[in-house]
Amino acid sequence: MYIDSHCHLNFSELYNNIHQIQSAMLAAQVNCALCISVNLETVNDVLAVAELNDNWYATVGVHPDYEDIEEPTVERLTELAKHPKVIGIGETGLDYFRLQGDLEWQRDRFRVHINAARQSNKPLIIHTRQAASDTLRIMKEEKARDVGGVMHCFTESLDVAHAAIDENFYISISGIVTFKNAKELKETVKALPLDRLLIETDSPYLAPTPYRGQTNQPAYVVKVAEEIALLKGISTEEVAHQTSTNFRTLFKLG
């Protein structure tokens, strides 16, 4: 069985075909998925989707790319995190690629999420893009290691991966690893221990080879596992088993 550790099932590209998406998952032996929140305006949609299936879960949080929206507070996030399907806080973090200028608000928002995670005792789902140094610094300053979490859709260097693992985080690999030009990421995956890896789609985005250009979906996470197995010279079944075990360990699912 496979677990998609990061997807956006509430986005219209997937939700409008949710029954077909679910059937495709079952056919591909993808039996569990984590639906990720990106803002408070749609968090109820995320929770509603998670309630459709016993093995679908949710997070609560506000993505660092979103400006001029309702800002999260520690109190609001911890209250939302009491929902029985919520197993993590995020996605949160820093993104210096899409946004420029004074981004102190982004760093403040990140700190709020870490504090909410610590108060609710739930792991963090962290997004970082061209901001690894500040991301790791704030993680240390706010003691993110107390709850741990995952660096999602990882494309940073091997050194950054090791630094994150040292802070009690897992590394999640997306369909990007199947791209021909992702040479550095492929080498990073080869070097990282399997017991610190998760797999994800980030669907509806980043469809893996051979589905590039199409709408991504959780069933395609199998292609990520296959690529990791190829890179490491092990069976796809071993990747599926270990990454599923890692997911359940991180999110306390037994």
Side-chain angles (χ1 to χ4, degrees):
M1 295 294 185
Y2 302 84
I3 294 178
D4 185 355
S5 68
H6 192 113
C7 58
H8 300 281
L9 292 170
N10 63 303
F11 285 17
S12 60
E13 298 96 320
L14 299 179
Y15 187 74
N16 290 343
N17 300 290
I18 198 67
H19 297 299
Q20 294 95 317
I21 294 297
Q22 188 172 12
S23 295
M25 290 174 66
L26 291 173
Q29 296 187 306
V30 181
N31 72 327
C32 183
L34 181 56
C35 187
I36 304 294
S37 170
V38 296
N39 59 52
L40 296 178
E41 285 79 358
T42 59
V43 69
N44 287 331
D45 297 336
V46 174
L47 299 177
V49 168
E51 291 172 346
L52 294 175
N53 188 298
D54 287 345
N55 290 321
W56 291 357
Y57 299 93
T59 68
V60 292
V62 179
H63 194 288
D65 283 355
Y66 284 72
E67 296 183 90
D68 302 320
I69 57 172
E70 180 184 351
E71 278 296 326
T73 63
V74 172
E75 294 75 20
R76 177 89 165 111
L77 291 174
T78 52
E79 184 62 29
L80 286 168
K82 294 177 183 178
H83 189 285
K85 294 295 256 179
V86 172
I87 60 174
I89 303 295
E91 69 187 272
T92 183
L94 303 175
D95 193 317
Y96 296 170
F97 176 78
R98 292 189 180 94
L99 300 174
Q100 286 82 39
D102 183 1
L103 298 180
E104 189 61 27
W105 62 268
Q106 217 181 66
R107 294 183 282 274
D108 290 342
R109 183 186 290 174
F110 187 23
R111 294 179 191 276
V112 165
H113 282 81
I114 297 174
N115 288 326
R118 294 180 67 213
Q119 286 197 26
S120 59
N121 193 32
K122 295 183 188 292
L124 288 149
I125 294 82
I126 292 183
H127 167 111
T128 184
R129 193 170 184 190
Q130 293 189 3
S133 179
D134 279 356
T135 300
L136 290 167
R137 173 178 60 82
I138 292 173
M139 286 165 60
K140 291 178 181 178
E141 290 174 356
E142 300 297 334
K143 299 180 175 59
R145 67 175 299 113
D146 289 353
V147 290
V150 54
M151 307 295 282
H152 115 87
C153 196
F154 192 83
T155 56
E156 302 291 337
S157 69
L158 179 59
D159 287 344
V160 171
H162 283 311
I165 291 171
D166 288 344
E167 291 300 312
N168 193 28
F169 276 70
Y170 288 77
I171 306 299
S172 184
I173 306 301
S174 73
I176 293 174
V177 76
T178 69
F179 300 173
K180 288 182 179 180
N181 62 352
K183 294 179 180 179
E184 182 179 359
L185 180 59
K186 292 176 189 288
E187 292 303 314
T188 295
V189 168
K190 286 181 184 179
L192 289 176
L194 187 60
D195 64 2
R196 300 305 296 187
L197 294 182
L198 301 181
I199 54 176
E200 65 168 276
T201 59
D202 201 13
S203 52
Y205 311 116
L206 300 175
T209 303
Y211 304 110
R212 289 193 72 176
Q214 301 179 30
T215 299
N216 202 3
Q217 59 176 295
Y220 295 167
V221 79
V222 175
K223 294 300 179 182
V224 180
E226 289 174 352
E227 181 68 19
I228 293 172
L230 182 64
L231 291 168
K232 288 187 167 294
I234 58 179
S235 69
T236 304
E237 290 76 15
E238 185 176 352
V239 174
H241 172 75
Q242 187 62 59
T243 55
S244 295
T245 298
N246 297 344
F247 180 91
R248 295 188 176 280
T249 298
L250 172 61
F251 292 105
K252 305 178 182 69
L253 294 176

